Amino acid sequence: MFQMQDVSKVFRTEMVETHALRDLSLEVKEGEFVAVTGPSGSGKTTFLNIAGLLEELTGGVYKLDGVDVKALDDNARSKLRNEKIGFVFQSFNLIPDLNLFDNVDVPLRYRGFGRAERRKRIESALERVGLASRVKHYPAELSGGQQQRVAIARAIAGDPKLLLADEPTGNLDSQMAREVMQLLEELNASGTIVIIVTHDPEIAARAQRNVHIVDGVATDLERGPALVKPKAAEAKAS
Amino acid sequence: MHFMPILSTLRRHRTAAALIVLEIALTCAIVCNAVFLIRDRLSRMDRPSGVAENELLRVQLTGIGERADAQAITEQDLAALRTIPGVKSAISINMIPFGGSSWNSSISTKPDDRDAPVNAGMYMATGDIVETLGLKLVAGRNFNSDEYVPFDDVQSETKGIAAVIVTSATAEKLYPGQSPLGKPVYVMGSTPPVIVGVVDHIVRPNDANGIDQRPYSMILPVTVPFNMGGNYLLRVAPDRKQEILAQVDAKLDGVDPRRIILERQTFAQVRAKYFEQDQAMARLLLGVSIALLVITALGVVGLASFWVQQRTRQIGVRRALGATKRDIRRYFQLENFILATMGIIVGMALAYGVNMWLMDTYGVDRLSAMYLPIGAGLLWALGQIAVLGPAVRASSIPPAVATRSV
Amino acid sequence: MIGYYLDLARRSLRRNVALTILMILAIAFGVGASMTTLTVLHVLSADPIPGKSDQLYYVQLDPRPVDGYKEGEEPLYQSTRQDAETLVRAKQAERQVLMTGGGAAIESQQVGVDPFNVEARWASADFFPMFDVPFVAGGPWTAEDDDAKARVVVLAKPLAEKVFGTTDVVGRTIRVESNEMRVVGVTDTWFPTPHFFDLNTGAYGVKELLYAPFSTSRELKFGRNGSMNCWNSHQDPEALGAPCEWIQLWVELSTEAKRADYYEYLTAYSRAEKEAGRYHRPPNVRLRNVMEWLEHNQVVPNDARLQMWISLGFLLVCLINTVGLLLTKFMRRSPEIGVRRALGASKKSIFTQLLVEAGMIGIVGGVLGLLLAWLGLWAVRHQPTPYAALAELDTQMLLATFGLAVITSLLAGVLPAWRGCQVTPALQLKSH
């Protein structure tokens, strides 16, 4: 379902070349719950951006649901992102000018569903996160935890196969954080792959697998370093 | 003080900065040229006529059918008009300054000269033009009463014209550097009249021969009836104009009711009518210039507001690091000054280019250099006024935003 | 999807009403001003006699003395009476007319209407069929009337109504300059613009209400309007042999070949006149059709062109202003765009969304611009210009106005929308 093979990412500016990821390989099967950990600046966010098709990779192969993303143009990448991936962000990233209904509606619009289909999906997604009664409210009228639940509803309304979460509990207190984690685990239980980037060891502990990234090199903690090819020393020029 | 950091910030917002510079430049170019054109029109409208404008009334009329007795009726009309209290003198004249329609002739110092040095307007009247119009005689004398001849006799060449009065510009053109008095002017007929007097100025009725040709005119002692040109000019007491105009119809009808009176005007009205298009054009140019400045100012406000909002946090950090409110305000003012200056520099070049094109296409004059600093000053001031609001708003951002998580 | 974009655009525009109004007004004023001046220019440079303007030719000859002659210079602006009458009598074109502007005093039969002056045209009989003058009653006079100097007139409808209260006046008499004249026809409202056949009396706003045979007008010494130029003195400049130009001479030639033939004929005529000693210069002939004649005379006032350029400059500034403001607005929305991109919006759909928003400003601005143009033209009609009354919006200009508004706003929208859709989804997700 999710395969990365020797993926690398190099940022270039006039002065320096930064290797954000080096030959990262990772395979995630359906139904898995993976936590990606690592210190600040280790490459976690780059990994997430590449996994979410938000950034292009410099080298290696990334296949999502059997599709090699390297060959895709912007339209196809957008479509794939829209259909296969759900995002949950640390800062929620709800659109403040839209009410809950319209916020959840955004990805469905780009999906091209009809009106009835969208309504059904929006209502059921909000139902699942327990906010069905507040469709007309605006994000600013909600607490942080509620906002994050809306973001999750938005992420799952399109039935993605892969849910990417970037420190989803980072801006929440522990009670709310627990609720959000519970939701993610429920989703995972119904078959969605969840990849969560966090530096919270408690959350990492709840995942089935832990991948640790340091200086752009990933180590799979559960299955041991054997799966990861340690080619860190060779900095690729291309 | 902030010069370099501002430049590097602007470089990062290249597109928006370029747009505002371009807008200022275009506004500068258009406004410079518009102000110049307005000035040009206004100076046209200020053109001196050489006549006692404040004391003149004009009555325009036309007869019905062929009139053998036109000259006699004219004399009766003038006599009747002179009886109105407040009327100092009255004449029947073939054309009037700023009247539109004109009589012209090429004149020369030699007979049958194909390359005549000047084409001049020909004023002819039953009555004394010099006195009635209040012309200033600068040399020689006015016509003697025995010098006047009827137009029909001149036309049929039964009588010649003995004398002519010219404007000083005409005299200078015909006899440069010499006294023109007693010298001949070849105009119509074979015997040339001689110059007996020189008047300071009387403008021609229109610009048909070109604006620079307007001071060339002459006065001939030829009497014309009311149905030739159809103008009565009255020299009156300035404070009685309206009451006199109100009596004109009755006086003329008393002589002969079978005439059509077309206009009863003060000279101010004649002048206003003649220049109304120039005035309308000047007003339009002024309107467009103001609209342009307003639009540009609003554009500056919009962009500055956006930048202030975008840099809220950065401003908070600067404040936290010790920048005073004044520093922050100054930053945005200086930024605007830099943008305006760039716009003005491009605008100057553009203004010059537009003017070259206008000179080529529409024959306007060369833009005098004094309009460039006017345009520049205007846009600098405009920019500073426009940016003041956003700059003050920026300076009132509290340092605490630096520590607030967004 | 367009429905969604329209909805988003509406929300976005309502969020910052002041900015939206500013952009709409900028477009509206720019478009309004441009369309006002373009419409004025459009009516001023219109073909005054469509369908026939390429078959009507203005004749110019050169009977002046030889001194001062420069090769290739323009011939005389108008014709002498002698040449005009000779060429009309020669009938070498399909139709030919000689004419001059004039003025006359009319005494009305209506009680309480004082005598009044009208602008008139003294012409030969071909005038009416040649210029397709429409009649509501009666018709033109004939060539025989010309020869007989008949006391006949054709009235324009407004004059007939003023004098008689009706247009059904064929056969009745009217007093023109104290002469009893018989009405043979009444024209329908016909004031071609520009007044191409005689530009001396003004290219615009000329309303001639009375027509009489040229021959009759000379016999009765009716007043003459226009310009007269004499190169030698003469006792009576209006006489047949006088060395004065004051007549307009037009001919109708339906094909290019006939034009060439007539040109040859005029050249031969000039040569013959020179041999006879009346002409002194080598043949110098011009034959211009209506549009060429108008172009040659540059009838469209420079002020009107200048105004058009100023208003286009104004529109350009308004356009740049709107581009800047839209860019600002769209860049301010970068976070939202980033989120939308992350949630699956392609660059294309973001571009479309933003362009729809810009287009909406354009359409509202366009409608408003149309109103402003209409208002502007109303203002022009109250200006002291001779062409004031002509400033009306026709369908063509109406559509052009709207088109200009939409094109303007799309132009204004393209750069900001393009920049907006370049927002990378990854960058904007974390920071606000």
Side-chain angles (χ1 to χ4, degrees):
Chain A
M1 167 60 208
F2 177 98
Q3 286 170 292
M4 280 189 179
Q5 195 70 47
D6 296 338
V7 166
S8 64
K9 176 72 185 177
V10 182
F11 291 107
R12 281 193 196 85
T13 64
E14 284 164 35
M15 317 289 286
V16 287
E17 208 173 72
T18 315
H19 293 257
L21 286 182
R22 298 170 197 263
D23 300 327
L24 185 142
S25 296
L26 179 66
E27 192 169 340
V28 182
K29 297 217 159 48
E30 246 153 271
E32 280 192 300
F33 194 120
V34 183
V36 178
T37 55
S40 284
S42 59
K44 296 193 303 273
T45 305
T46 307
F47 164 74
L48 201 69
N49 281 339
I50 288 176
L53 305 179
L54 301 178
E55 258 174 45
E56 292 189 30
L57 40 112
T58 315
V61 178
Y62 171 28
K63 283 186 180 172
L64 184 63
D65 207 12
V67 181
D68 185 346
V69 304
K70 186 126 198 189
L72 302 179
D73 65 2
D74 179 75
N75 273 336
R77 291 166 73 87
S78 300
K79 192 166 185 302
L80 197 62
R81 189 158 65 224
N82 183 258
E83 289 174 4
K84 299 279 158 78
I85 305 172
F87 284 100
V88 179
F89 307 98
Q90 177 176 7
S91 47
F92 325 136
N93 280 332
L94 297 177
I95 299 174
D97 302 311
L98 303 179
N99 64 27
L100 302 197
F101 187 93
D102 290 332
N103 257 294
V104 179
D105 193 27
V106 171
L108 304 180
R109 287 282 188 165
Y110 295 116
R111 190 76 163 263
F113 286 135
R115 179 194 288 268
E117 173 77 11
R118 293 202 320 268
R119 171 166 290 275
K120 200 183 83 196
R121 281 172 178 261
I122 294 163
E123 280 166 359
S124 106
L126 284 170
E127 185 84 36
R128 259 173 103 176
V129 300
L131 288 168
S133 59
R134 315 194 66 166
V135 286
K136 293 284 176 210
H137 287 243
Y138 283 83
E141 299 163 5
L142 304 180
S143 72
Q146 287 170 323
Q147 287 193 42
Q148 193 59 299
R149 273 152 52 196
V150 178
I152 292 170
R154 183 175 67 182
I156 63 173
D159 280 332
K161 296 215 164 149
L162 171 64
L163 195 89
L164 295 172
D166 184 13
E167 304 277 13
T169 60
N171 282 352
L172 303 176
D173 64 32
S174 53
Q175 170 61 29
M176 287 178 174
R178 256 193 301 283
E179 282 176 34
V180 165
M181 278 311 291
Q182 217 162 356
L183 250 172
L184 291 178
E185 279 161 1
E186 279 171 37
L187 288 171
N188 178 243
S190 59
T192 313
I193 298 178
V194 175
I195 298 179
I196 181 168
V197 169
T198 183
H199 58 256
D200 183 345
E202 199 181 321
I203 288 170
R206 291 170 75 154
Q208 298 162 0
R209 275 173 73 183
N210 267 6
V211 175
H212 194 66
I213 300 182
V214 178
D215 287 339
V217 180
T219 318
D220 199 324
L221 296 180
E222 226 78 344
R223 299 184 190 177
L227 269 179
V228 181
K229 291 173 192 166
K231 282 201 283 181
E234 305 165 35
K236 278 191 182 173
S238 60
Chain B
M1 47 167 184
H2 286 306
F3 205 74
M4 292 323 284
I6 289 176
L7 277 189
S8 74
T9 311
L10 289 179
R11 211 170 301 133
R12 250 179 299 128
H13 297 276
R14 220 174 291 132
T15 318
L19 283 169
I20 203 79
V21 166
L22 189 61
E23 187 176 343
I24 292 172
L26 278 169
T27 302
C28 179
I30 297 174
V31 169
C32 276
N33 277 285
V35 169
F36 171 66
L37 288 174
I38 291 171
R39 189 73 205 85
D40 180 49
R41 296 294 166 127
L42 293 183
S43 72
R44 258 191 232 186
M45 292 166 60
D46 279 345
R47 188 183 308 166
S49 61
V51 308
E53 295 191 18
N54 193 33
E55 297 173 48
L56 287 178
L57 299 179
R58 177 231 203 162
V59 178
Q60 194 183 20
L61 75 168
T62 175
I64 301 170
E66 264 283 289
R67 306 290 296 256
D69 57 347
Q71 186 62 37
I73 289 184
T74 304
E75 310 277 356
Q76 289 175 45
D77 279 344
L78 295 177
L81 290 172
R82 285 182 195 122
T83 64
I84 302 175
V87 174
K88 295 174 186 164
S89 62
I91 58 172
S92 165
I93 190 165
N94 66 329
M95 62 185 199
I96 62 169
F98 302 135
S101 77
S102 63
W103 297 45
N104 306 286
S105 179
S106 291
I107 54 174
S108 177
T109 54
K110 299 176 293 207
D112 293 324
D113 184 1
R114 289 286 151 201
D115 300 307
V118 59
N119 178 293
M122 270 195 294
Y123 284 97
M124 301 184 276
T126 301
D128 188 338
I129 292 183
V130 175
E131 190 218 311
T132 305
L133 270 60
L135 304 183
K136 208 172 115 204
L137 207 53
V138 292
R141 58 167 175 87
N142 199 348
F143 297 127
N144 296 325
S145 54
D146 60 355
E147 282 167 336
Y148 285 93
V149 287
F151 181 81
D152 285 344
D153 292 350
V154 175
Q155 182 89 317
S156 61
E157 297 186 14
T158 50
K159 276 186 187 162
I161 308 168
V164 60
I165 294 175
V166 297
T167 61
S168 48
T170 314
E172 184 56 29
K173 198 85 176 178
L174 290 172
Y175 295 104
Q178 315 167 34
S179 166
L181 295 176
K183 302 229 166 72
V185 176
Y186 287 86
V187 41
M188 56 207 287
S190 40
T191 45
V194 297
I195 298 172
V196 297
V198 177
V199 292
D200 179 36
H201 179 56
I202 175 169
V203 79
R204 293 169 83 162
N206 59 39
D207 292 335
N209 293 69
I211 286 184
D212 56 332
Q213 300 291 306
R214 64 182 185 264
Y216 301 122
S217 39
M218 60 183 162
I219 303 165
L220 294 168
V222 174
T223 56
V224 292
F226 77 90
N227 57 359
M228 270 184 61
N231 292 289
Y232 287 155
L233 277 184
L234 315 183
R235 178 99 177 256
V236 302
D239 53 340
R240 305 182 74 169
K241 285 184 219 160
Q242 292 311 320
E243 81 185 71
I244 292 167
L245 278 179
Q247 298 174 60
V248 161
D249 284 27
K251 288 287 177 194
L252 294 177
D253 281 352
V255 176
D256 177 5
R258 282 177 38 82
R259 265 99 52 90
I260 303 167
I261 299 176
L262 302 171
E263 299 282 0
R264 309 151 189 86
Q265 294 166 306
T266 62
F267 196 85
Q269 286 170 313
V270 173
R271 180 185 260 278
K273 178 96 185 136
Y274 185 70
F275 289 109
E276 63 187 355
Q277 286 195 51
D278 290 306
Q279 190 173 16
M281 187 72 178
R283 233 185 265 136
L284 183 112
L285 287 167
L286 185 69
V288 168
S289 301
I290 291 172
L292 271 175
L293 293 173
V294 169
I295 292 266
T296 304
L298 291 175
V300 169
V301 172
L303 190 69
S305 302
F306 170 60
W307 279 345
V308 168
Q309 194 189 355
Q310 196 184 38
R311 296 177 204 160
T312 300
R313 195 182 169 87
Q314 185 198 20
I315 293 164
V317 172
R318 278 174 193 273
R319 292 277 282 127
L321 294 176
T324 63
K325 282 189 169 204
R326 193 159 158 269
D327 290 334
I328 302 294
R329 204 184 68 230
R330 278 288 170 81
Y331 178 93
F332 285 95
Q333 286 170 332
L334 185 59
E335 183 179 75
N336 178 271
F337 185 79
I338 293 170
L339 287 173
T341 307
M342 292 198 279
I344 287 164
I345 292 169
V346 179
M348 297 284 161
L350 221 55
Y352 187 70
V354 168
N355 174 246
M356 296 272 276
W357 181 76
L358 286 176
M359 284 200 306
D360 259 20
T361 323
Y362 300 115
V364 308
D365 292 337
R366 178 177 295 280
L367 185 66
S368 115
M370 95 189 202
Y371 291 94
L372 299 180
I374 291 179
L378 213 58
L379 282 159
W380 266 315
L382 185 83
Q384 288 303 309
I385 292 167
V387 85
L388 193 63
V392 166
R393 227 177 306 134
S395 70
S396 58
I397 289 171
V401 286
T403 56
R404 215 176 278 159
S405 69
V406 183
Chain C
M1 216 51 197
I2 279 292
Y4 185 50
Y5 296 146
L6 285 173
D7 184 49
L8 289 175
R10 194 179 47 82
R11 284 165 193 261
S12 161
L13 294 175
R14 269 173 39 182
R15 201 172 312 132
N16 195 333
V17 178
L19 190 67
T20 304
I21 289 177
L22 174 58
M23 290 189 290
I24 287 176
L25 285 183
I27 296 265
F29 276 102
V31 168
S34 299
M35 286 322 294
T36 305
T37 57
L38 281 171
T39 302
V40 167
L41 216 57
H42 171 74
V43 295
L44 293 189
S45 47
D47 185 343
I49 178 162
K52 221 174 171 184
S53 55
D54 55 347
Q55 298 173 31
L56 304 176
Y57 294 90
Y58 185 75
V59 176
Q60 283 173 278
L61 298 164
D62 205 341
R64 283 173 293 185
V66 72
D67 39 331
Y69 172 72
K70 290 182 206 78
E71 194 166 343
E73 79 177 331
E74 269 290 305
L76 214 49
Y77 186 72
Q78 300 178 90
S79 294
T80 60
R81 183 168 170 191
Q82 169 122 30
D83 286 329
E85 293 198 0
T86 308
L87 289 171
V88 166
R89 219 173 299 118
K91 287 192 173 21
Q92 293 294 309
E94 283 155 273
R95 287 191 180 108
Q96 41 267 307
V97 62
L98 68 94
M99 58 175 134
T100 179
I106 303 285
E107 288 158 284
S108 173
Q109 271 90 334
Q110 301 268 89
V111 184
V113 177
D114 287 333
F116 57 93
N117 235 27
V118 291
E119 287 183 86
R121 183 140 297 269
W122 319 132
S124 54
D126 274 356
F127 181 86
F128 302 95
M130 192 157 154
F131 295 131
D132 285 339
V133 183
F135 278 83
V136 286
W141 64 79
T142 61
E144 290 73 48
D145 290 328
D146 280 343
D147 293 341
K149 297 169 185 146
R151 306 289 196 263
V152 292
V153 289
V154 166
L155 309 183
K157 194 167 144 189
L159 181 60
E161 282 166 352
K162 182 167 180 182
V163 174
F164 299 103
T166 169
T167 56
D168 187 20
V169 294
V170 174
R172 293 177 69 174
T173 55
I174 180 170
R175 277 179 75 81
V176 179
E177 296 282 348
S178 302
N179 299 285
E180 301 286 334
M181 309 281 280
R182 183 168 52 87
V183 178
V184 294
V186 178
T187 66
D188 205 349
T189 308
W190 184 74
F191 302 118
T193 307
H195 188 251
F196 66 96
F197 47 79
D198 181 5
L199 298 167
N200 293 299
T201 48
Y204 303 101
V206 182
K207 293 209 160 146
E208 288 163 346
L209 297 174
L210 177 73
Y211 305 89
F214 177 82
S215 53
T216 313
S217 80
R218 293 306 91 207
E219 169 109 332
L220 299 176
K221 301 209 168 123
F222 285 168
R224 177 191 62 76
N225 282 345
S227 116
M228 175 186 273
N229 212 337
C230 302
W231 49 93
N232 272 319
S233 58
H234 194 273
Q235 290 194 7
D236 178 6
E238 294 175 9
L240 192 60
C244 302
E245 47 139 345
W246 59 293
I247 309 268
Q248 301 88 47
L249 179 59
W250 285 86
V251 295
E252 182 172 339
L253 303 162
S254 58
T255 63
E256 211 34 59
K258 285 181 181 163
R259 176 196 185 149
D261 287 349
Y262 198 75
Y263 188 89
E264 275 313 306
Y265 166 71
L266 289 176
T267 310
Y269 169 83
S270 300
R271 205 170 285 124
E273 289 293 298
K274 193 178 177 216
E275 275 156 24
R278 197 171 81 83
Y279 276 25
H280 313 281
R281 299 183 172 193
N284 188 12
V285 173
R286 294 286 187 286
L287 208 47
R288 291 187 171 96
N289 71 24
V290 173
M291 294 316 273
E292 288 166 347
W293 179 237
L294 293 177
E295 175 64 34
H296 173 69
N297 281 280
Q298 299 186 321
V299 289
V300 178
N302 273 350
D303 273 7
R305 289 188 199 274
L306 209 53
Q307 282 165 5
M308 180 202 69
W309 287 114
I310 289 166
S311 64
L312 287 182
F314 179 60
L315 176 64
L316 186 61
V317 171
C318 290
L319 183 68
I320 292 171
N321 188 65
T322 304
V323 173
L325 292 175
L326 275 177
L327 186 71
T328 312
K329 191 174 162 94
F330 292 167
M331 293 324 275
R332 204 184 293 196
R333 295 229 307 270
S334 294
E336 182 202 319
I337 295 168
V339 172
R340 286 186 181 275
R341 290 280 281 131
L343 295 177
S346 61
K347 277 186 187 177
K348 213 179 96 193
S349 47
I350 297 293
F351 185 77
T352 317
Q353 180 195 332
L354 298 180
L355 209 58
V356 165
E357 188 171 329
M360 212 175 214
I361 288 171
I363 287 168
V364 178
V367 171
L368 212 62
L370 201 63
L371 286 174
L372 286 176
W374 183 78
L375 210 73
L377 289 169
W378 177 86
V380 171
R381 284 197 293 279
H382 290 78
Q383 289 283 309
T385 47
Y387 52 81
L390 303 170
E392 295 275 3
L393 214 53
D394 57 16
T395 333
Q396 200 184 341
M397 293 315 277
L398 197 89
L399 292 175
T401 306
F402 209 69
L404 184 71
V406 173
I407 288 168
T408 303
S409 61
L410 288 182
L411 271 180
V414 165
L415 173 74
W418 184 78
R419 289 292 301 266
C421 77
Q422 300 301 313
V423 169
T424 44
L427 273 176
Q428 289 291 340
L429 287 171
K430 280 213 144 176
S431 63
H432 271 211

